[in-house]
């Protein structure tokens, strides 16, 4: 499991072709240090006709983005922020470095 970015988080893309876009994390690929973000890094995949897609053709889908190219959005201001971890009531929680707000 990634320490900083998790499934369901809203992230900001800070570099690459999709710079400036935001999206929800659909999946985190921990071993590759990548995440699949909704609507970001779209690629065209050519598929053969099969039982799942009898027509076949070109399908647009999201490709993984490296975690270093993503910043979590601050829950208070909606701006990209770095993430810290601190202990509260015996539990490690993530917090936004910009506002100090705890991220759920």
């Amino acid at each position: 499991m990634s320490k900083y970015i998790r499934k369901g988080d809203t992230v900001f893309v800070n570099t690459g072709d999709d710079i400036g876009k935001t999206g929800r994390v659909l999946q985190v690929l921990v071993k590759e240090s990548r995440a699949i973000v909704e609507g970001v890094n779209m690629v065209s995949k050519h598929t053969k006709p099969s039982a799942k897609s009898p027509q076949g053709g070109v399908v647009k889908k999201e490709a993984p983005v490296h975690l270093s190219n993503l910043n979590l959005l601050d829950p208070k201001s909606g701006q990209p922020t770095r993430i810290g971890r601190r202990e509260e009531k015996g539990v490690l929680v993530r917090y936004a470095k910009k506002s100090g707000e705890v991220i759920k």
Side-chain angles (χ1 to χ4, degrees), residues 9-70:
D9 287 344
T10 305
V11 293
F12 175 84
V13 181
N14 56 20
T15 187
D17 292 337
D18 293 316
I19 190 169
K21 286 188 181 177
T22 61
R24 196 169 45 89
V25 175
L26 301 175
Q27 184 182 3
V28 177
L29 308 168
V30 179
K31 285 186 179 174
E32 293 98 58
S33 296
R34 292 175 173 270
I36 296 175
V37 182
E38 193 172 42
V40 173
N41 200 20
M42 298 298 283
V43 294
S44 299
K45 184 163 172 55
H46 297 261
T47 58
K48 289 171 84 172
S50 66
K52 199 180 228 182
S53 60
Q55 189 63 36
V58 180
V59 178
K60 288 276 204 183
K61 63 181 281 183
E62 292 96 353
V65 180
H66 199 272
L67 293 176
S68 66
N69 299 334
L70 302 173

